Amino acid sequence: MNDSAPATAPRRARVRAPELIGKGGWLNTGGDDLTLADLRGKIVLLDFWTFCCVNCLHVLDELRELEEKHRDTLVIVGVHSPKFVHEAEHQAVVDAVERYEVHHPVLDDPELATWKQYAVRAWPTLVVIDPEGYVVAQHAGEGHANAIRTLVEELEAEHEAKGTLRRGDGPYVAPEPVATDLRFPGKAILLPSGNLLVSDTTRHQLVELAADGETVVRRIGEGVFREPQGLAMLPDGKVVVADTVNHSLRVLDLGTGAIERVAGTGRQWWQGSATSGPALEVDLSSPWDVAWWQGKVWIAMAGVHQLWTYDPGTGTVEVAAGTTNEGLVDGPAAEAWFAQPSGLSATEDRLWIADAETSALRWIDPDGSVHTAVGTGLFDFGHRDGDAAQALLQHPLGVTALPDGSVAVSDTYNHALRRYDPATGEVTTLATDLREPSGAVLVDGDIVVVESARHRLTRLRLPEEAVRVEAVAHRTRREATEVAPGRLRLDVVFQAPTGQKLDDRYGPSTRLLVSATPPELLLGGEGTGTDLFRDLDLNPEVTEGVLHVSAMAASCDDDPSNEYPACHVHQQDWGVPVKVTATGAARLPLILAGMDA
């Protein structure tokens, strides 16, 4: 299962690739529909993604160099496969393709038709199709760019020799650019001058707006930032910026316009990397928001599902809460689970957290205890007001503390501004008909909302009464996998890429972590181990739940003459909805890299 590859290219299984179908149609093709027959002669890389998923965004960045280098032989096709209901809206996919600068064809598959045909189980998943239309590899998660590059080069040589490779331009057609002052802004803060500072995310800069929220005063940091998001005022009057895709924090001097990197190396954090130390020497992973609390900058580290802190006084960073496992678990900070924390707002005694992938509002106390106000887990979401225990949000990206002790939640995929009042335990709706609100800031008793997908700031008066909204509840569109009670064999398939072997110089090179929601689903098999297989014992009394599986494998170049071979980490977290039934499967294969025999 976790065999290293032989020195010669392996014989590949030949599985005919299913057709690409999706009710939403095609983007970035100039209006043309594509079929696999149209792509015959090209190497095709299918990228199954959804725009809520930070790991998918990491993979988009991983593939850019490969896409550019092999543009005459390789066609990347994004297959947009939604998790949330909002992501099934065609215009939302159009927006996301522009927002994240996707420069290849995208199939909008709102009903997961192509996802099902390829038996995909996780976001992101990459599938390689050779020039004759056969699937030759599948990879889940991040860290596979080097392996895919090697495979593409092998396929180029093989099919050039066979005469089955067709070089030339691919089917990508760039859409027409749109002129607006802001483009998919992320967050905003109020400056001492009364002006507003906005992270103009897709244009990779900050914009200072006059107090009217519309007039551009100046643009800051062009060529410095990559998709900046969160902003926070520091006690010295400077602004700290979450430079998200550069995996860094930067500080802006408002007076001089000088920008300085203060944390992060520019590289993405991977398992095994340092989790504390001198700030400029420790890798970060997609910092999405920042807040000043308890004498430190707190960081919503969306890329690894944690909270970190940066101490300007000592110039150090460290993990403050979270395990890197994705999910919703409260308790002591070191044991808590988060899922893409994306918004922060500090009061004296609480740091509020918008935990996007669990559609949750959470907070951490000064003593380090993590609590959940609204939300139940990765797969339940919707728009429901009332008692917080049964209220629902949908992928919120922002939270703003209000003067009365309540908080406003930028409920992004519900296009709404919601309110949670800790005094009553009630959730209400303050405003609807926003467009992907991603943050908000108080200004003179009003609230200014960052309407990301309308490319503007919108000023609202905080209403005396809440808006009445008909309750809607959703579960993820993914179908549950039917499994039998009792013994379930879990196999994580990993084959080291050609020319590499598992790196066991310093101990086991693989890791597997298994848990379940509810915990009672597993009678045995939970916990951490080094084998990429596990026998689980499913409780016949629990009819449905979610298996949480986290796998990691490290492989290195297999060249005995090289004392310092290049090494690569492959990792993925799966949340697999399961239904326990007597006729269900006794084996659950999850592909990390390779093909399931």
Side-chain angles (χ1 to χ4, degrees), residues 269-281:
W269 187 94
W270 288 94
Q271 290 288 350
S273 302
T275 55
S276 64
L280 290 170
E281 299 174 16

Side-chain angles (χ1 to χ4, degrees), residues 449-463:
V449 180
V450 181
E451 272 199 276
S452 191
R454 282 201 179 111
H455 320 292
R456 71 186 189 192
L457 304 187
T458 299
R459 188 167 182 143
L460 303 173
R461 187 167 298 282
L462 283 172

Side-chain angles (χ1 to χ4, degrees), residues 27-31 91 94-95 97-99 102-103 172-180 183-184 203 455:
L27 305 175
N28 284 355
T29 62
Q91 185 57 48
V94 173
D95 288 343
V97 167
E98 180 190 350
R99 180 196 296 264
V102 180
H103 295 159
Y172 170 67
V173 178
E176 290 294 320
V178 182
T180 53
R183 207 71 193 158
F184 299 104
R203 294 223 175 99
H455 320 292

